[in-house]
Amino acid sequence: MPKDRPELPPVEELLTAAVTALGGVERPGQVKMAQAVRDAVESEEHLAVQAGTGTGKSLAYLVPAIRHAAEKGEAVVVSTATIALQRQLVDRDLPRLADALESLLPHRPEFAILKGRRNYLCRHKMADGMPEDEDDQLFDPREVSATGRMVQRIQEWANETETGDRDEIVPGVSDQAWRQFSVTARECLGAQRCPSGADCFAELARERAGEADVVVTNHALLAIDAMEDFAVLPEHDVVVVDEAHELVDRVTSVVTGELSESTVSLAVRRAGRLVEQGVADRLQEAGEDLRALLAVAPPGRVDTLPGSLGMTLALVRDAAFACITALGPRNKDKDDPENAGLRKAAFTALDDVHDTAQRMLDAFGPAAGRDAAGDDAEDSGNSRDSGDSRDSERGANGGPGDARSEEVHRAEVVWLEEGRGRVPPTLRVAPLSVGGMLRDKLFGDRTVVLTSATLALGGSFDSLSRQWGLRAGEWTGLDVGSPFDHPRRGILYVATHLPQPGRDGLPEAYVDEIAELIEAAGGRTLGLFSSMRAAKAATEALRERLDVPLLCQGDDSTSQLVKQFAGDPATCLFGTLSLWQGVDVPGPSLTLVIIDRIPFPRPDDPLASARQRHVAATGGNGFMAVAATHAALLLAQGAGRLLRSMDDRGVVAVLDPRLATARYSGFLLNSLPPFWRTTDPAKVRDALRRLTAGS
């Protein structure tokens, strides 16, 4: 310990003081977790902690984190899955904790929230130092009017705000409006070159973070800080990853590249002001070729690269490179801030197009890249000519061995998403695994604590630790349990008498079963469906049969629907993915959670199916490693909606009989809380009636 720092109270004493000041009850699991976090930080060993709802895990990691920061004089970074969870920590948990610990520490704990640069108002762009991103296509006049009103609100708010944080604007504004006032980190000129650098909201937020004991960020920004060459977060040696079950998906989103007519058009608009017309026209023509090709291509995973697509990607890449070359040196206008902003924006858009096209070509290997690029392959990169995406199971030459061999060596997957509304068809590319990146960039030179209510899938941390890239001996896993008495408070009911779910929508027998369960519960039901189509079908069918209010996701904003649901015990709420993880409704309004089917990834999900094939090609069990792990995680999250307070009771009803009968059912069941289990529908309905009568 540094000589100039006083000896600090132990973690146990600080935790007791915090819990007492906050009016809570200290729980054994909370104490055990706080001690484990302290030990991990001191031994510099990574730690994964599963802490069930009600454990008080936020205090269990914040208290040792604050103590470490006070002892070392260096910030601890806490990363959450979403900006909403960031705000919960900063607005509620940390202020109260700072008050509780102030008298026991050398100074009052300081904390700060830090988001991506795009979340802050850019003064330079607002002063017309940067280009607008909107294209020239015709919009619905009502949308233009609505966007105009939002722009006006932003301009009025900009004269008053002290933080420039987008979240201050209530009600919120659309991305289309906000883009006119914000820049990404790559578009930013930097505080030294920007004429507004001294007053930059993003830089001010970073300065505040640099003086804090705890910096609260999100998984996306944590990934950017780890992966990019420039530092986003202040210097730190300890990271706490809350909601760690979402880390892989959030990081994957950050490193996913996309290419479409829109991304090329944006690059053309930005470069067209700064290069000769003929050079910009070449990129425009390549973008039009891409648009025409994607408009007729079937959506889904691209396993082998058709020659036409390979040639078009090479044209786009080479045309973007020609524009980059025509722009000249990147620091050419360092003394001309306005022109420098235009050039930086152009370089950013062109780099994205060039690098993404090259990355997509590289995904199919250098040899095929030379075939697609022709004589210029050695200079301009790699693409590939082989077959059709629908021939994926046969391999490039029709033999299954070829596909298997390719799958072993492939590092990324490319797929086409069909267009919707004004969003054109889009090619995407993403890594088959982000474990190697996380291992090298995130876990390499710092201590990481990963925590969630759902980490031990199938009773083991191994599934997620492999996704994180952690190896045996580098980390410790700990399940501190839950304060809830699951067997006495909840029932897990699997409807084995129902048919297996099919592909033709929600079976009539499922609708009948849902109706009987809701009638027994007197409403009070959260219906979690594997697709929005199923949720809407159930809603339409049951509104005619039931006398209770029935809400469906999409009827209003999700937050408003959850508020209505929580406020009226008779109400039911049906929905899909965001409700599986985002609903916290303690009390009598939620007595029954219905799950229509095991939430495996869709068979046509390009990334999940590619990862599954890759695992199988390398000798593993692709289904268990990818599909079953995905399903177990969501099932555990969905079942976790039931018990949110010590007084809660109820039933989790899974209508899919495979949860009890399939060979993989043991893995899934061992991922769920230890509820009392039954397959008897009469017992469940009787239990629900008793709960309803007693509430």
Side-chain angles (χ1 to χ4, degrees), residues 290-306:
L290 181 68
R291 177 189 62 192
L293 188 64
L294 299 187
V296 298
R301 195 177 67 221
V302 183
D303 288 315
T304 54
L305 188 66

Side-chain angles (χ1 to χ4, degrees), residues 64-259:
I66 288 173
R67 186 185 187 281
H68 174 77
E71 183 178 46
K72 299 295 184 182
E74 187 173 275
V76 171
V77 171
V78 174
S79 178
T80 68
T82 64
I83 289 176
L85 289 173
Q86 283 182 269
R87 291 248 63 102
Q88 177 181 312
L89 284 174
V90 170
D91 293 342
R92 189 188 70 181
D93 297 346
L94 280 165
R96 299 164 67 197
L97 183 56
D99 290 340
L101 299 183
E102 181 174 6
S103 63
L104 299 173
L105 296 174
H107 64 268
R108 175 184 168 83
E110 299 291 336
F111 52 89
I113 187 170
L114 192 59
K115 308 174 187 178
R117 189 171 291 270
R118 190 112 216 195
N119 292 281
Y120 299 98
L121 181 80
C122 175
R123 293 186 187 274
H124 182 45
K125 189 167 187 177
M126 187 171 180
D128 296 323
M130 304 277 287
E132 301 294 340
D133 287 348
E134 301 307 322
D135 58 22
D136 296 324
Q137 62 183 299
L138 295 177
F139 296 112
D140 183 328
R142 290 170 296 182
E143 284 193 34
V144 173
S145 177
T147 300
R149 290 193 294 271
M150 291 180 188
V151 166
Q152 185 175 358
R153 285 176 48 216
I154 295 171
Q155 291 171 329
E156 293 170 353
W157 164 79
N159 295 323
E160 305 170 357
T161 180
E162 295 181 0
T163 67
D165 188 335
R166 177 181 178 178
D167 282 350
E168 286 185 1
I169 307 174
V170 179
V173 296
S174 68
D175 290 342
Q176 182 181 339
W178 183 252
R179 276 198 299 268
Q180 299 180 48
F181 299 91
S182 66
V183 297
T184 65
R186 294 179 61 195
E187 293 168 337
C188 177
L189 288 175
Q192 300 303 316
R193 296 177 61 195
C194 179
S196 301
D199 300 316
C200 174
F201 288 121
E203 292 297 323
L204 291 173
R206 286 194 64 198
E207 288 179 16
R208 288 191 292 269
E211 299 170 355
D213 298 292
V214 176
V215 178
V216 181
T217 188
N218 56 67
H219 297 349
L221 193 61
L222 182 70
I224 291 170
D225 181 72
M227 309 297 176
E228 296 287 356
D229 295 331
F230 50 85
V232 178
L233 299 170
E235 187 174 338
H236 59 282
D237 62 357
V238 175
V239 177
V240 178
V241 181
D242 200 349
E243 302 300 317
H245 63 278
E246 294 197 48
L247 179 63
V248 167
D249 285 345
R250 301 283 174 172
V251 172
T252 300
S253 294
V254 168
V255 297
T256 296
E258 65 176 53
L259 194 63

Side-chain angles (χ1 to χ4, degrees), residues 633-654:
L633 188 58
L634 274 180
L635 273 177
Q637 286 288 309
R641 301 309 97 200
L642 181 66
L643 303 184
R644 309 301 296 179
S645 73
M646 297 302 293
D647 296 327
D648 287 349
R649 296 172 179 267
V651 172
V652 174
V654 181

Side-chain angles (χ1 to χ4, degrees), residues 355-584:
D355 295 350
T356 303
Q358 182 64 62
R359 185 176 161 192
M360 289 174 175
L361 292 167
D362 288 344
F364 297 94
R370 287 192 294 272
D371 292 341
D375 295 336
D376 296 329
E378 294 297 328
D379 297 323
S380 58
N382 302 317
S383 53
R384 180 170 186 153
D385 176 18
S386 179
D388 182 281
S389 62
R390 287 167 292 185
D391 296 331
S392 58
E393 299 301 328
R394 298 196 301 272
N397 299 312
D402 298 314
R404 180 182 176 86
S405 176
E406 248 181 58
E407 207 65 46
V408 170
H409 299 289
R410 182 168 294 172
E412 297 202 289
V413 58
V414 177
W415 72 96
L416 175 62
E417 287 187 2
E418 61 183 337
R420 291 183 178 86
R422 293 206 316 266
V423 179
T426 301
L427 273 176
R428 299 188 187 277
V429 58
L432 281 166
S433 169
V434 296
M437 283 186 283
L438 288 173
R439 175 181 169 78
D440 294 341
K441 303 292 187 178
L442 178 61
F443 299 111
D445 56 359
R446 56 181 62 86
T447 302
V448 182
V449 174
L450 305 115
T451 184
S452 169
T454 311
L455 292 181
L457 303 179
S460 167
F461 291 88
D462 291 346
S463 294
L464 288 180
S465 68
R466 281 193 295 269
Q467 293 185 14
W468 297 328
L470 291 175
R471 298 171 182 169
E474 296 177 337
W475 63 284
T476 299
L478 174 67
D479 183 355
V480 299
S482 167
F484 299 145
D485 188 348
H486 286 94
R488 291 181 178 272
R489 292 281 172 179
I491 297 173
L492 174 63
Y493 162 54
V494 183
T496 53
H497 64 285
L498 293 179
Q500 287 193 16
R503 297 183 179 181
D504 300 325
L506 200 65
E508 186 63 29
Y510 281 42
V511 177
D512 294 339
E513 183 79 14
I514 294 170
E516 292 174 359
L517 289 168
I518 290 177
E519 287 174 340
R524 309 167 188 266
T525 300
L526 177 65
L528 302 177
F529 293 84
S530 53
S531 71
M532 186 54 70
R533 187 177 76 164
K536 289 181 177 179
T539 302
E540 292 173 5
L542 292 171
R543 276 177 175 161
E544 300 175 358
R545 295 174 54 172
L546 300 174
D547 293 329
V548 299
L550 212 166
L551 308 174
C552 185
Q553 195 172 4
D555 292 346
D556 202 336
S557 68
T558 299
S559 59
Q560 187 61 33
L561 290 173
V562 172
K563 185 177 180 179
Q564 287 181 250
F565 173 59
D568 179 11
T571 298
C572 301
L573 174 59
F574 289 0
T576 184
L577 189 59
S578 62
L579 298 186
W580 287 73
Q581 304 185 73
V583 176
D584 184 11

Side-chain angles (χ1 to χ4, degrees), residues 261 264-265 281-294 312 316:
E261 172 196 357
V264 176
S265 293
D281 286 347
R282 180 182 169 192
L283 180 57
Q284 180 70 44
E285 291 166 3
E288 291 171 357
D289 289 345
L290 181 68
R291 177 189 62 192
L293 188 64
L294 299 187
T312 302
V316 169

